[in-house]
PDB file of all heavy atoms in Angstrom:
ATOM      1  N   THR A 739     -14.210  -2.519   9.375  1.00 68.00           N
ATOM      2  CA  THR A 739     -14.807  -3.302  10.455  1.00 68.00           C
ATOM      3  C   THR A 739     -15.194  -4.684   9.935  1.00 68.00           C
ATOM      4  O   THR A 739     -15.140  -4.947   8.734  1.00 68.00           O
ATOM      5  CB  THR A 739     -16.075  -2.605  10.988  1.00 68.00           C
ATOM      6  OG1 THR A 739     -17.050  -2.583   9.932  1.00 68.00           O
ATOM      7  CG2 THR A 739     -15.786  -1.183  11.449  1.00 68.00           C
ATOM      8  N   GLN A 741     -18.120  -5.706   9.711  1.00 75.00           N
ATOM      9  CA  GLN A 741     -19.263  -5.471   8.823  1.00 75.00           C
ATOM     10  C   GLN A 741     -18.788  -5.139   7.408  1.00 75.00           C
ATOM     11  O   GLN A 741     -19.388  -5.573   6.425  1.00 75.00           O
ATOM     12  CB  GLN A 741     -20.142  -4.337   9.376  1.00 75.00           C
ATOM     13  CG  GLN A 741     -21.444  -4.160   8.622  1.00 75.00           C
ATOM     14  CD  GLN A 741     -22.342  -5.383   8.703  1.00 75.00           C
ATOM     15  OE1 GLN A 741     -22.338  -6.117   9.686  1.00 75.00           O
ATOM     16  NE2 GLN A 741     -23.103  -5.619   7.661  1.00 75.00           N
ATOM     17  N   ALA A 746     -18.274  -6.888   1.769  1.00 78.00           N
ATOM     18  CA  ALA A 746     -17.411  -7.212   0.629  1.00 78.00           C
ATOM     19  C   ALA A 746     -17.555  -8.674   0.224  1.00 78.00           C
ATOM     20  O   ALA A 746     -16.894  -9.142  -0.693  1.00 78.00           O
ATOM     21  CB  ALA A 746     -15.950  -6.906   0.976  1.00 78.00           C
ATOM     22  N   HIS A 767       3.305   1.913   6.388  1.00 79.00           N
ATOM     23  CA  HIS A 767       2.003   1.810   5.731  1.00 79.00           C
ATOM     24  C   HIS A 767       2.019   0.831   4.569  1.00 79.00           C
ATOM     25  O   HIS A 767       0.976   0.372   4.139  1.00 79.00           O
ATOM     26  CB  HIS A 767       1.554   3.179   5.212  1.00 79.00           C
ATOM     27  CG  HIS A 767       1.212   4.135   6.288  1.00 79.00           C
ATOM     28  ND1 HIS A 767       0.058   4.057   7.020  1.00 79.00           N
ATOM     29  CD2 HIS A 767       1.893   5.191   6.781  1.00 79.00           C
ATOM     30  CE1 HIS A 767       0.034   5.019   7.904  1.00 79.00           C
ATOM     31  NE2 HIS A 767       1.132   5.724   7.788  1.00 79.00           N
ATOM     32  N   MET A 769       3.359  -2.756   3.196  1.00 92.00           N
ATOM     33  CA  MET A 769       3.962  -4.019   3.618  1.00 92.00           C
ATOM     34  C   MET A 769       3.821  -5.048   2.510  1.00 92.00           C
ATOM     35  O   MET A 769       2.767  -5.148   1.878  1.00 92.00           O
ATOM     36  CB  MET A 769       3.286  -4.543   4.888  1.00 92.00           C
ATOM     37  CG  MET A 769       3.467  -3.661   6.104  1.00 92.00           C
ATOM     38  SD  MET A 769       2.639  -4.350   7.572  1.00 92.00           S
ATOM     39  CE  MET A 769       3.793  -5.669   7.985  1.00 92.00           C
ATOM     40  N   ALA A 771       3.636  -9.068   1.274  1.00 94.00           N
ATOM     41  CA  ALA A 771       2.980 -10.245   1.852  1.00 94.00           C
ATOM     42  C   ALA A 771       3.933 -10.942   2.821  1.00 94.00           C
ATOM     43  O   ALA A 771       3.512 -11.405   3.891  1.00 94.00           O
ATOM     44  CB  ALA A 771       2.541 -11.196   0.746  1.00 94.00           C
ATOM     45  N   TYR A 775       3.340 -11.690   6.758  1.00 96.00           N
ATOM     46  CA  TYR A 775       3.505 -13.050   7.274  1.00 96.00           C
ATOM     47  C   TYR A 775       4.471 -13.075   8.462  1.00 96.00           C
ATOM     48  O   TYR A 775       4.161 -13.625   9.519  1.00 96.00           O
ATOM     49  CB  TYR A 775       4.001 -13.957   6.147  1.00 96.00           C
ATOM     50  CG  TYR A 775       4.407 -15.332   6.595  1.00 96.00           C
ATOM     51  CD1 TYR A 775       3.453 -16.271   6.985  1.00 96.00           C
ATOM     52  CD2 TYR A 775       5.750 -15.700   6.628  1.00 96.00           C
ATOM     53  CE1 TYR A 775       3.826 -17.544   7.410  1.00 96.00           C
ATOM     54  CE2 TYR A 775       6.126 -16.968   7.036  1.00 96.00           C
ATOM     55  CZ  TYR A 775       5.168 -17.879   7.429  1.00 96.00           C
ATOM     56  OH  TYR A 775       5.541 -19.130   7.846  1.00 96.00           O
ATOM     57  N   LYS A 776       5.645 -12.446   8.299  1.00 95.00           N
ATOM     58  CA  LYS A 776       6.639 -12.437   9.378  1.00 95.00           C
ATOM     59  C   LYS A 776       6.102 -11.750  10.635  1.00 95.00           C
ATOM     60  O   LYS A 776       6.327 -12.204  11.758  1.00 95.00           O
ATOM     61  CB  LYS A 776       7.919 -11.743   8.910  1.00 95.00           C
ATOM     62  CG  LYS A 776       8.726 -12.567   7.931  1.00 95.00           C
ATOM     63  CD  LYS A 776       9.938 -11.800   7.438  1.00 95.00           C
ATOM     64  CE  LYS A 776      10.655 -12.557   6.347  1.00 95.00           C
ATOM     65  NZ  LYS A 776      11.729 -11.780   5.729  1.00 95.00           N
ATOM     66  N   GLU A 780       5.625 -13.422  14.312  1.00 94.00           N
ATOM     67  CA  GLU A 780       6.217 -12.811  15.502  1.00 94.00           C
ATOM     68  C   GLU A 780       5.177 -12.571  16.586  1.00 94.00           C
ATOM     69  O   GLU A 780       5.487 -12.576  17.776  1.00 94.00           O
ATOM     70  CB  GLU A 780       6.915 -11.497  15.139  1.00 94.00           C
ATOM     71  CG  GLU A 780       8.205 -11.705  14.379  1.00 94.00           C
ATOM     72  CD  GLU A 780       8.808 -10.397  13.873  1.00 94.00           C
ATOM     73  OE1 GLU A 780       8.309  -9.303  14.228  1.00 94.00           O
ATOM     74  OE2 GLU A 780       9.785 -10.473  13.099  1.00 94.00           O
ATOM     75  N   GLU A 798      -7.701  -6.865  -1.806  1.00 93.00           N
ATOM     76  CA  GLU A 798      -7.496  -5.995  -2.963  1.00 93.00           C
ATOM     77  C   GLU A 798      -8.743  -6.001  -3.851  1.00 93.00           C
ATOM     78  O   GLU A 798      -9.225  -4.949  -4.276  1.00 93.00           O
ATOM     79  CB  GLU A 798      -6.274  -6.445  -3.756  1.00 93.00           C
ATOM     80  CG  GLU A 798      -6.015  -5.602  -4.984  1.00 93.00           C
ATOM     81  CD  GLU A 798      -4.892  -6.137  -5.840  1.00 93.00           C
ATOM     82  OE1 GLU A 798      -4.468  -7.300  -5.672  1.00 93.00           O
ATOM     83  OE2 GLU A 798      -4.442  -5.383  -6.716  1.00 93.00           O
ATOM     84  N   ILE A 802     -10.360  -3.093  -0.129  1.00 88.00           N
ATOM     85  CA  ILE A 802      -9.915  -2.822   1.242  1.00 88.00           C
ATOM     86  C   ILE A 802      -8.446  -2.411   1.272  1.00 88.00           C
ATOM     87  O   ILE A 802      -8.043  -1.576   2.063  1.00 88.00           O
ATOM     88  CB  ILE A 802     -10.167  -4.057   2.141  1.00 88.00           C
ATOM     89  CG1 ILE A 802     -11.677  -4.305   2.247  1.00 88.00           C
ATOM     90  CG2 ILE A 802      -9.530  -3.903   3.512  1.00 88.00           C
ATOM     91  CD1 ILE A 802     -12.044  -5.623   2.905  1.00 88.00           C
ATOM     92  N   LEU A 812       8.810  -5.705  -6.166  1.00 76.00           N
ATOM     93  CA  LEU A 812       8.182  -6.131  -4.925  1.00 76.00           C
ATOM     94  C   LEU A 812       6.797  -5.505  -4.849  1.00 76.00           C
ATOM     95  O   LEU A 812       6.646  -4.300  -5.025  1.00 76.00           O
ATOM     96  CB  LEU A 812       9.015  -5.685  -3.720  1.00 76.00           C
ATOM     97  CG  LEU A 812       8.493  -6.068  -2.350  1.00 76.00           C
ATOM     98  CD1 LEU A 812       8.548  -7.586  -2.164  1.00 76.00           C
ATOM     99  CD2 LEU A 812       9.312  -5.390  -1.275  1.00 76.00           C
ATOM    100  N   PHE A 815       1.408  -3.710  -0.071  1.00 93.00           N
ATOM    101  CA  PHE A 815      -0.008  -3.458   0.140  1.00 93.00           C
ATOM    102  C   PHE A 815      -0.177  -2.380   1.189  1.00 93.00           C
ATOM    103  O   PHE A 815       0.613  -2.284   2.124  1.00 93.00           O
ATOM    104  CB  PHE A 815      -0.696  -4.743   0.621  1.00 93.00           C
ATOM    105  CG  PHE A 815      -0.614  -5.874  -0.364  1.00 93.00           C
ATOM    106  CD1 PHE A 815       0.511  -6.690  -0.398  1.00 93.00           C
ATOM    107  CD2 PHE A 815      -1.641  -6.106  -1.258  1.00 93.00           C
ATOM    108  CE1 PHE A 815       0.603  -7.739  -1.306  1.00 93.00           C
ATOM    109  CE2 PHE A 815      -1.552  -7.146  -2.178  1.00 93.00           C
ATOM    110  CZ  PHE A 815      -0.430  -7.962  -2.198  1.00 93.00           C
ATOM    111  N   GLU A 816      -1.220  -1.582   1.010  1.00 90.00           N
ATOM    112  CA  GLU A 816      -1.577  -0.595   2.026  1.00 90.00           C
ATOM    113  C   GLU A 816      -3.091  -0.515   2.097  1.00 90.00           C
ATOM    114  O   GLU A 816      -3.793  -0.776   1.113  1.00 90.00           O
ATOM    115  CB  GLU A 816      -0.975   0.779   1.733  1.00 90.00           C
ATOM    116  CG  GLU A 816      -1.567   1.487   0.531  1.00 90.00           C
ATOM    117  CD  GLU A 816      -1.060   2.913   0.348  1.00 90.00           C
ATOM    118  OE1 GLU A 816      -0.920   3.639   1.342  1.00 90.00           O
ATOM    119  OE2 GLU A 816      -0.821   3.287  -0.806  1.00 90.00           O
ATOM    120  N   VAL A 835       7.800   6.743   0.787  1.00 90.00           N
ATOM    121  CA  VAL A 835       7.235   7.925   1.428  1.00 90.00           C
ATOM    122  C   VAL A 835       6.006   8.350   0.624  1.00 90.00           C
ATOM    123  O   VAL A 835       6.065   8.441  -0.599  1.00 90.00           O
ATOM    124  CB  VAL A 835       8.265   9.078   1.475  1.00 90.00           C
ATOM    125  CG1 VAL A 835       7.636  10.340   2.044  1.00 90.00           C
ATOM    126  CG2 VAL A 835       9.499   8.676   2.265  1.00 90.00           C
ATOM    127  N   GLU A 843      -1.240  17.435  -8.899  1.00 92.00           N
ATOM    128  CA  GLU A 843      -2.577  16.900  -9.203  1.00 92.00           C
ATOM    129  C   GLU A 843      -3.279  17.763 -10.242  1.00 92.00           C
ATOM    130  O   GLU A 843      -3.881  17.249 -11.192  1.00 92.00           O
ATOM    131  CB  GLU A 843      -3.415  16.794  -7.922  1.00 92.00           C
ATOM    132  CG  GLU A 843      -2.864  15.855  -6.871  1.00 92.00           C
ATOM    133  CD  GLU A 843      -2.742  14.418  -7.350  1.00 92.00           C
ATOM    134  OE1 GLU A 843      -3.666  13.917  -8.016  1.00 92.00           O
ATOM    135  OE2 GLU A 843      -1.712  13.789  -7.056  1.00 92.00           O
ATOM    136  N   ALA A 849      -3.180  18.332 -18.131  1.00 95.00           N
ATOM    137  CA  ALA A 849      -2.567  17.578 -19.245  1.00 95.00           C
ATOM    138  C   ALA A 849      -3.572  16.608 -19.855  1.00 95.00           C
ATOM    139  O   ALA A 849      -3.656  16.474 -21.083  1.00 95.00           O
ATOM    140  CB  ALA A 849      -1.330  16.829 -18.753  1.00 95.00           C
ATOM    141  N   SER A 858      -9.525   8.534 -14.934  1.00 88.00           N
ATOM    142  CA  SER A 858     -10.223   7.635 -14.016  1.00 88.00           C
ATOM    143  C   SER A 858      -9.323   7.320 -12.823  1.00 88.00           C
ATOM    144  O   SER A 858      -9.765   6.760 -11.830  1.00 88.00           O
ATOM    145  CB  SER A 858     -10.617   6.339 -14.725  1.00 88.00           C
ATOM    146  OG  SER A 858      -9.476   5.695 -15.247  1.00 88.00           O
ATOM    147  N   SER A 861      -1.216   6.877 -11.170  1.00 87.00           N
ATOM    148  CA  SER A 861      -0.215   6.455 -10.214  1.00 87.00           C
ATOM    149  C   SER A 861       1.072   7.210 -10.530  1.00 87.00           C
ATOM    150  O   SER A 861       1.563   7.132 -11.648  1.00 87.00           O
ATOM    151  CB  SER A 861       0.011   4.944 -10.328  1.00 87.00           C
ATOM    152  OG  SER A 861       1.073   4.558  -9.483  1.00 87.00           O
ATOM    153  N   TYR A 865      11.385   8.003  -8.075  1.00 92.00           N
ATOM    154  CA  TYR A 865      12.477   7.177  -7.562  1.00 92.00           C
ATOM    155  C   TYR A 865      13.713   8.033  -7.337  1.00 92.00           C
ATOM    156  O   TYR A 865      13.963   8.982  -8.072  1.00 92.00           O
ATOM    157  CB  TYR A 865      12.809   6.056  -8.556  1.00 92.00           C
ATOM    158  CG  TYR A 865      11.680   5.079  -8.741  1.00 92.00           C
ATOM    159  CD1 TYR A 865      10.731   5.262  -9.747  1.00 92.00           C
ATOM    160  CD2 TYR A 865      11.534   3.987  -7.898  1.00 92.00           C
ATOM    161  CE1 TYR A 865       9.678   4.375  -9.899  1.00 92.00           C
ATOM    162  CE2 TYR A 865      10.486   3.102  -8.046  1.00 92.00           C
ATOM    163  CZ  TYR A 865       9.564   3.302  -9.057  1.00 92.00           C
ATOM    164  OH  TYR A 865       8.520   2.429  -9.203  1.00 92.00           O
ATOM    165  N   ILE A 867      17.232   8.583  -4.188  1.00 92.00           N
ATOM    166  CA  ILE A 867      17.948   8.148  -2.989  1.00 92.00           C
ATOM    167  C   ILE A 867      17.443   8.982  -1.821  1.00 92.00           C
ATOM    168  O   ILE A 867      17.438  10.215  -1.894  1.00 92.00           O
ATOM    169  CB  ILE A 867      19.479   8.317  -3.145  1.00 92.00           C
ATOM    170  CG1 ILE A 867      19.992   7.558  -4.362  1.00 92.00           C
ATOM    171  CG2 ILE A 867      20.207   7.893  -1.878  1.00 92.00           C
ATOM    172  CD1 ILE A 867      19.796   6.051  -4.294  1.00 92.00           C
ATOM    173  N   CYS A 868      17.016   8.312  -0.746  1.00 92.00           N
ATOM    174  CA  CYS A 868      16.492   9.030   0.421  1.00 92.00           C
ATOM    175  C   CYS A 868      17.635   9.693   1.193  1.00 92.00           C
ATOM    176  O   CYS A 868      18.813   9.494   0.889  1.00 92.00           O
ATOM    177  CB  CYS A 868      15.697   8.079   1.313  1.00 92.00           C
ATOM    178  SG  CYS A 868      16.684   6.894   2.254  1.00 92.00           S
ATOM    179  N   ASN A 869      17.260  10.456   2.212  1.00 91.00           N
ATOM    180  CA  ASN A 869      18.278  11.194   2.973  1.00 91.00           C
ATOM    181  C   ASN A 869      18.814  10.432   4.173  1.00 91.00           C
ATOM    182  O   ASN A 869      19.519  10.997   5.004  1.00 91.00           O
ATOM    183  CB  ASN A 869      17.731  12.559   3.411  1.00 91.00           C
ATOM    184  CG  ASN A 869      16.540  12.439   4.336  1.00 91.00           C
ATOM    185  OD1 ASN A 869      16.076  11.340   4.629  1.00 91.00           O
ATOM    186  ND2 ASN A 869      16.033  13.575   4.793  1.00 91.00           N
ATOM    187  N   LYS A 874      22.853   7.851   1.626  1.00 77.00           N
ATOM    188  CA  LYS A 874      23.690   8.922   1.081  1.00 77.00           C
ATOM    189  C   LYS A 874      25.141   8.465   0.973  1.00 77.00           C
ATOM    190  O   LYS A 874      25.825   8.783   0.015  1.00 77.00           O
ATOM    191  CB  LYS A 874      23.590  10.174   1.963  1.00 77.00           C
ATOM    192  CG  LYS A 874      22.257  10.865   1.840  1.00 77.00           C
ATOM    193  CD  LYS A 874      22.265  12.248   2.465  1.00 77.00           C
ATOM    194  CE  LYS A 874      22.241  12.201   3.955  1.00 77.00           C
ATOM    195  NZ  LYS A 874      22.050  13.509   4.592  1.00 77.00           N
ATOM    196  N   SER A 876      26.226   5.458   0.483  1.00 79.00           N
ATOM    197  CA  SER A 876      26.420   4.415  -0.521  1.00 79.00           C
ATOM    198  C   SER A 876      26.478   4.952  -1.945  1.00 79.00           C
ATOM    199  O   SER A 876      26.870   4.248  -2.857  1.00 79.00           O
ATOM    200  CB  SER A 876      25.315   3.369  -0.406  1.00 79.00           C
ATOM    201  OG  SER A 876      24.092   3.894  -0.870  1.00 79.00           O
TER     202      SER A 876
END
Side-chain angles (χ1 to χ4, degrees):
T739 65
Q741 188 62 31
H767 291 285
M769 296 180 75
Y775 171 72
K776 287 177 186 173
E780 287 173 8
E798 179 186 15
I802 295 170
L812 181 67
F815 299 84
E816 69 174 319
V835 176
E843 298 300 317
S858 58
S861 175
Y865 296 92
I867 303 297
C868 73
N869 62 357
K874 288 193 285 188
S876 72

